[in-house]
Amino acid sequence: MKHILFLAALVASLSCYSQTRTGLKGGLNIANLHYSAGNESVKGDPLTSFHVGFVFFPEGSSAVSVQPEILFSMQGNKLSTPLGNVEEKLGYVNVPILIKYTPAPVFSMYAGPQLGMLVSSNKINGTSVKDYYKEVDISLSFGCEFKAGENMLFGARYNLGMMNVDDFDDSGDIKVTNQVTQIYLGILF
C-alpha cells in the first residue's frame, strides 16, 4: 500500500508542474505473458480484459510535454496445461510517465516508462496466481492519441514488459514479461 501512495504522490507532483486537466480513461486490454528460456520462447493465448483510471492531460502551447497517469489494468493470459485450460488474471496499478509529442492540436504520440504494482490475482486450484509473480513490474509504453473536441480522447498503446516478473522458485532460468495492447477512450474535466 505504501508503494501505491508513493506513486500517487509522484503523479500528483508531476501534474502540478505544468498546466493540466484531469480526466478518466478506460478501455480494452489484450494481454499476454511472454515466457522465454535461452533461445526458446512461448506465449499463452491472449487474455481480453480492461483498464481504467486517471489521466493528467497536459495543455499549453508546447509540442513536448509530460503526461502521467494512474491506471488499474487487468493483465495475464490463458494457458493450456495438463490440468486443462486456465486463465492467469493479474491486477496491476500502473503509473506511466509519458513524454508526449503533439505535432497537431488533435494528434499526439508518446513513449515512456511505466511502473506497475501487482495488487490482485485470481486463484487456480485454491492457490493465488499472485504468489508466482513479483510485486513490481517495469514496462516501456508507447502509442498515439487523438483529441476529439475539447473533452474526448481516444487512442492505442502497447506496453512492453522490460522486467522478469517470474517469482516461482522452481522455474530455473525462465523469464516472464508482460505484453499488453490497450485501446481506450477518455473524458477530460
Side-chain angles (χ1 to χ4, degrees), residues 117-148:
M117 298 297 300
L118 181 59
V119 295
S120 68
S121 74
N122 63 325
K123 291 185 177 184
I124 297 174
N125 296 326
T127 302
S128 175
V129 174
K130 185 178 171 186
D131 294 342
Y132 300 108
Y133 294 96
K134 294 178 182 171
E135 291 182 0
V136 176
D137 184 29
I138 296 173
S139 301
L140 176 62
S141 296
F142 51 92
C144 63
E145 186 170 82
F146 294 89
K147 187 175 179 190

Side-chain angles (χ1 to χ4, degrees), residues 3-189:
H3 297 296
I4 294 171
L5 293 174
F6 172 75
L7 293 174
L10 175 66
V11 168
S13 66
L14 283 171
S15 65
C16 292
Y17 179 69
S18 64
Q19 182 181 358
T20 61
R21 291 176 66 191
T22 304
L24 295 175
K25 68 179 281 190
L28 175 72
N29 277 2
I30 302 169
N32 212 331
L33 293 170
H34 181 262
Y35 303 88
S36 62
N39 293 332
E40 302 286 325
S41 68
V42 68
K43 286 184 183 181
D45 291 325
L47 176 70
T48 303
S49 56
F50 70 95
H51 66 281
V52 63
F54 297 97
V55 58
F56 300 93
F57 188 81
E59 293 205 311
S61 59
S62 177
V64 178
S65 58
V66 176
Q67 178 174 304
E69 300 176 355
I70 301 175
L71 305 170
F72 177 80
S73 180
M74 188 58 72
Q75 299 171 193
N77 67 358
K78 298 177 186 177
L79 294 170
S80 295
T81 71
L83 301 173
N85 295 330
V86 296
E87 289 186 352
E88 293 182 307
K89 295 181 181 179
L90 303 169
Y92 283 88
V93 173
N94 289 327
V95 179
I97 307 296
L98 305 168
I99 305 300
K100 188 172 186 176
Y101 173 63
T102 307
V106 297
F107 176 73
S108 58
M109 298 174 285
Y110 53 80
Q114 172 177 277
L115 180 62
M117 298 297 300
L118 181 59
V119 295
S120 68
S121 74
N122 63 325
K123 291 185 177 184
I124 297 174
N125 296 326
T127 302
S128 175
V129 174
K130 185 178 171 186
D131 294 342
Y132 300 108
Y133 294 96
K134 294 178 182 171
E135 291 182 0
V136 176
D137 184 29
I138 296 173
S139 301
L140 176 62
S141 296
F142 51 92
C144 63
E145 186 170 82
F146 294 89
K147 187 175 179 190
E150 288 298 312
N151 300 322
M152 183 76 69
L153 304 173
F154 60 97
R157 173 180 305 174
Y158 185 73
N159 299 322
L160 176 62
M162 304 302 287
M163 184 176 153
N164 182 8
V165 295
D166 178 46
D167 202 21
F168 187 63
D169 292 336
D170 296 333
S171 62
D173 64 345
I174 293 177
K175 181 179 177 183
V176 182
T177 57
N178 279 297
Q179 298 179 348
V180 184
T181 300
Q182 298 178 320
I183 301 168
Y184 62 86
L185 291 173
I187 298 173
L188 300 175
F189 303 115

